[in-house]
Amino acid sequence: RFPRGFVGNSSMEELKISSRPSISFRPINPSDLERLEQIHRDIFPIRYESEFFQNVVNGGDILSWAAVDRSRPDDLYDELIGFVTAKIGLAKETEISDLIRYDSCKGEETLVYILTLGVVESYRKRGIAKLLIKEVIKYASSIPVCRGVYLHVIAHNSPAIRLYKRMSFRCVRRLHGFYIINGQHFDSFLFLYFINGSRSPCSPFDLVVFVLNYMRSGIKSVASRLTMKHEEKGLKWIKCKDITRCLLPTQTKRNLASERVSSGYDYV
């Protein structure tokens, strides 16, 4: 969000850094374009459209925060060492509209969606990613009609998942085969941080149903893998019916192969 900066090759960062760096945050601006593109290439396994970066640095409809180390030499003190990008949209138009308890008195309620999060390798494990997320939460909380901050994370990205859980994000959904990377399918978790008094409208019964369906999804996943193995041996099994049901509509799968992706990219 690959928790936007926790994995990837960042060989570009070989300079020694202070044992006590002075981290501060500012908006991303046009002078950051080349650096921003380079960090994305180092961290993420896909390519972004130039339109995405132009939107970020020129202050289009994408929000952004840059992390810099003011303790670095004069020519590097304002250079990006981390970033987070996000978008704000109407809650009713998002895939998690069912998980928000609406207050009709507040008018058109919104949600903030984190697009990308990254920290260069030499600055990781210093809490910078957490601070960047806090900047987003602080911004979202300042908007009275904003009900939460949400994001997707690939299911095997354990460091990111631990981070979001520590920050009180709630895992509200598992999306099977959400990502397609180089032809291979990967599950995704959807995390949501409620703000401004928002909370899930789910009843205890709904939560029990969700847990049961989640367990069934795991059984189905194992059965599917066994089926594939037997088919490879020439056996033909009757495919099981889809026994999973989600609390929300099925999410369109993202194809994150080596092709270029649009500015609407939402990879974690």
Side-chain angles (χ1 to χ4, degrees), residues 25-158:
F25 304 98
R26 61 168 175 78
I28 295 176
N29 56 56
S31 64
D32 297 313
L33 179 60
E34 183 177 350
R35 176 73 167 174
L36 185 67
E37 291 178 335
Q38 180 63 57
I39 299 177
H40 274 75
R41 285 195 296 269
D42 285 349
I43 291 176
F44 302 115
I46 56 100
R47 295 177 63 190
Y48 287 76
E49 290 282 1
S50 61
E51 179 185 356
F52 169 79
F53 297 109
Q54 291 294 335
N55 200 333
V56 173
V57 302
N58 292 313
D61 61 349
I62 295 180
L63 308 167
S64 68
W65 289 261
V68 298
D69 180 4
R70 300 300 187 187
S71 68
R72 300 179 76 180
D74 291 344
D75 58 336
L76 296 174
Y77 83 102
D78 199 44
E79 184 179 66
L80 261 68
I81 55 90
F83 62 85
V84 62
T85 64
K87 292 191 71 171
I88 187 168
L90 294 177
K92 66 181 181 181
E93 296 178 356
T94 69
E95 65 190 280
I96 59 172
S97 59
D98 291 13
L99 290 179
I100 301 297
R101 184 181 293 276
Y102 291 97
D103 184 349
S104 58
C105 297
K106 293 187 176 181
E108 291 283 71
E109 297 178 319
T110 61
L111 290 169
V112 171
Y113 179 66
I114 294 180
L115 294 166
T116 61
L117 167 67
V119 177
V120 298
E121 189 172 10
S122 56
Y123 278 88
R124 294 174 193 166
K125 298 182 180 181
R126 295 172 180 268
I128 297 174
K130 182 178 180 179
L131 292 174
L132 284 164
I133 296 172
K134 283 186 174 181
E135 290 293 310
V136 179
I137 293 174
K138 181 169 67 175
Y139 168 81
S141 299
S142 70
I143 305 172
V145 295
C146 187
R147 309 311 301 276
V149 177
Y150 74 109
L151 53 86
H152 294 94
V153 61
I154 199 164
H156 62 246
N157 194 344
S158 298

Side-chain angles (χ1 to χ4, degrees), residues 181-235:
I181 305 175
N182 295 325
Q184 186 174 356
H185 294 255
F186 296 90
D187 290 355
S188 168
F189 291 118
L190 193 156
F191 279 87
L192 172 61
Y193 184 95
F194 292 103
I195 60 174
N196 294 330
S198 179
R199 60 190 178 91
S200 171
C202 295
S203 66
F205 175 77
D206 292 329
L207 295 177
V208 171
V209 172
F210 176 77
V211 171
L212 290 175
N213 285 334
Y214 181 85
M215 294 173 63
R216 290 173 180 172
S217 297
I219 295 173
K220 179 197 171 188
S221 178
V222 172
S224 297
R225 287 196 293 269
L226 291 174
T227 300
M228 292 175 64
K229 289 182 180 180
H230 281 275
E231 286 178 344
E232 290 175 357
K233 296 179 181 180
L235 296 178

Side-chain angles (χ1 to χ4, degrees), residues 176 213-214 216-218 220-221 241-246:
H176 295 281
N213 285 334
Y214 181 85
R216 290 173 180 172
S217 297
K220 179 197 171 188
S221 178
K241 293 182 179 180
D242 187 351
I243 61 174
T244 62
R245 290 195 308 159
C246 296

